Amino acid sequence: MKTYKIAVIPGDGTGPEVVREGLKVLQAAAQKSGFKYETVHYDFGGERYLKTKEVLPPTAVKELKTFDAIYLGAIGHPDVKPGILEKGILLKLRFDLDQYINLRPVKLYDERFCPLKNKTPKDIDFVVVRENSEGLYKGLGEFQKKGTKDEVALQVSHNTRKGVERCIRYAFEYTRKNRKRKELTLCGKTNVLTYAFDLWERTFYEVAKEYPDVKTQYTHVDATTMWFVKNPEWFDVIVTDNMFGDIITDLGAMIQGGMGIAAGGNINPEGVSMFEPIGGSAPKYTGKNVINPLAAICAVSMLLSQIGEEKAGTAVENSVIAVVREKLKDLAAGKMGYSTSEVGDLVVKNL
Ligand code: IPM
Ligand code: MN
């Protein structure tokens, strides 16, 4: 029997607290399903950076490539200038491990936690496939005449045919394999971003010819945000670029009940993938045992499905659903009616 190797990066703020609960659940899932795993912890994050002045050791990427998956808590520290850790750790790992998909399910587990009127779990159940290696995140651009009154700042969205196509193909495959409705929406801005989304749109409809079983549609990103609020039931799977995907998935997280429940996977379908709660390090709640660990536990569920333990992944998700529906008063930090560790225990017990 294979022993899975999982790298754990608890990271900053509440990251370590929620990762601890996720690992409890992982252990219970392994016992129940009978698979074996070992973990190696890495101390990457703000504290390490402040002590050593090094964001990532030079061997980090090479080492991480030897794992079956990476489990990440959160990156971001109040004493470190914004951008250093995000670019130096999170984005660097996404790029260097070529995790070109950011998969973000938006699923409402209990209508009590939806801020939208009259929307129930059957209305909010879609997945965003965000391109995760290009676009504006490539960091291309320059200052001209910096510091003068004639200053210009250029920030370029870099889209390659290969990069766009592999993302779109992943989205079609994902839709075909995992979704009942089999509807894929391209979210873009073809009316203004006439280079980038021209490429996206052409590629989308070309690839679509190979997937006659998948229904396609196109929406502009601004309208997409409107429909997330008005008619979220219109969406099944959405594919979009890096920047739009970043923005719409925060809105997605809100309509599924908040950051306490939203998880994502940075996926390299041919390599090592990294799973994380998408909410960030939440410094003000750090060390208080009040943060909701369910997003981190949902990340474990996604991790399990990705490494081939789909049954265990589904079992973890079902336990989260049961705890959300039967136990929790709220999904927000400090309002759950239970502490962080108690919520982890509830999931383990249900499992
Ligand atoms: C996310 C985050 C990151 C992003 C930040 C922290 C760089 O917002 O995972 O969505 O913009 O991708
Ligand atoms: Mn984001």
Side-chain angles (χ1 to χ4, degrees):
M1 186 172 58
K2 185 177 173 178
T3 301
Y4 297 108
K5 274 185 73 188
I6 298 171
V8 182
I9 308 174
D12 300 317
T14 51
E17 290 165 66
V18 295
V19 159
R20 199 174 304 132
E21 301 315 309
L23 292 176
K24 264 195 223 166
V25 174
L26 178 63
Q27 190 181 25
Q31 259 164 29
K32 183 184 149 91
S33 303
F35 65 84
K36 287 205 165 60
Y37 71 97
E38 57 190 38
T39 55
V40 179
H41 284 247
Y42 290 90
D43 65 350
F44 309 151
E47 292 299 333
R48 180 180 192 281
Y49 172 72
L50 289 171
K51 262 189 252 143
T52 64
K53 289 284 155 261
E54 182 184 75
V55 212
L56 269 188
T59 53
V61 170
K62 204 176 148 217
E63 256 179 71
L64 289 172
K65 278 187 182 159
T66 66
F67 287 86
D68 293 296
I70 304 166
Y71 184 38
L72 172 71
I75 296 293
H77 194 291
D79 301 337
V80 181
K81 201 178 143 215
I84 294 181
L85 300 171
E86 293 85 342
K87 278 195 174 169
I89 302 178
L90 185 62
L91 298 183
K92 182 166 171 61
L93 292 181
R94 286 178 183 170
F95 289 152
D96 289 5
L97 296 169
D98 205 17
Q99 294 163 341
Y100 60 87
I101 299 297
N102 196 323
L103 192 67
R104 297 192 164 178
V106 177
K107 196 164 166 183
L108 177 65
Y109 290 142
D110 185 325
E111 65 181 278
R112 284 181 299 145
F113 305 129
C114 185
L116 307 177
K117 218 187 337 173
N118 301 328
K119 296 296 176 190
T120 65
K122 70 171 181 5
D123 300 310
I124 301 178
D125 180 4
F126 60 89
V127 177
V128 178
V129 176
R130 164 184 171 189
E131 203 290 321
N132 211 32
S133 65
E134 298 192 338
L136 284 165
Y137 279 70
K138 200 90 185 177
L140 278 183
E142 64 178 20
F143 294 111
Q144 292 166 357
K145 300 183 182 161
K146 192 173 179 185
T148 72
K149 61 181 180 352
D150 296 320
E151 179 162 354
V152 178
L154 296 178
Q155 192 91 47
V156 177
S157 179
H158 185 266
N159 298 265
T160 65
R161 169 71 197 213
K162 285 194 182 113
V164 170
E165 185 171 333
R166 67 182 180 171
C167 175
I168 285 175
R169 278 193 184 281
Y170 180 91
F172 274 102
E173 283 293 327
Y174 182 90
T175 307
R176 171 180 276 174
K177 277 203 198 102
N178 298 290
R179 307 293 298 185
K180 276 203 201 74
R181 278 166 59 185
K182 301 197 196 311
E183 292 170 19
L184 179 62
T185 302
L186 171 65
C187 164
K189 190 73 186 172
T190 51
N191 53 351
V192 177
L193 306 180
T194 48
Y195 298 109
F197 282 99
D198 187 84
L199 173 59
W200 274 84
E201 195 179 35
R202 274 184 284 120
T203 309
F204 183 71
Y205 287 111
E206 264 176 57
V207 174
K209 290 185 196 139
E210 296 170 40
Y211 295 85
D213 51 322
V214 175
K215 225 178 113 192
T216 54
Q217 64 166 345
Y218 169 83
T219 57
H220 291 321
V221 63
D222 48 348
T224 304
T225 63
M226 176 177 78
W227 286 323
F228 270 21
V229 174
K230 203 168 168 270
N231 304 95
E233 64 277 9
W234 286 359
F235 296 109
D236 186 23
V237 181
I238 298 170
V239 64
T240 190
D241 85 343
N242 209 340
M243 188 77 260
F244 291 166
D246 177 47
I247 297 166
I248 66 173
T249 54
D250 265 26
L251 180 55
M254 286 305 117
I255 65 172
Q256 75 182 113
M259 286 302 181
I261 195 79
N266 302 278
I267 293 177
N268 176 343
E270 298 90 33
V272 186
S273 301
M274 176 166 76
F275 298 85
E276 54 173 340
I278 75 171
S281 58
K284 73 174 180 187
Y285 297 120
T286 302
K288 299 205 166 101
N289 202 23
V290 296
I291 195 84
N292 188 344
L294 289 178
I297 295 172
C298 289
V300 167
S301 158
M302 293 182 75
L303 183 154
L304 287 170
S305 301
Q306 178 72 20
I307 62 175
E309 297 292 334
E310 286 92 354
K311 264 176 120 173
T314 306
V316 169
E317 188 187 15
N318 286 338
S319 293
V320 169
I321 295 175
V323 169
V324 166
R325 291 198 184 147
E326 292 157 25
K327 304 283 184 187
L328 297 199
K329 286 205 191 77
D330 201 295
L331 296 178
K335 297 179 182 167
M336 300 183 289
Y338 297 91
S339 68
T340 305
S341 46
E342 283 170 340
V343 173
D345 291 340
L346 286 171
V347 177
V348 168
K349 202 169 149 213
N350 186 284
L351 198 62

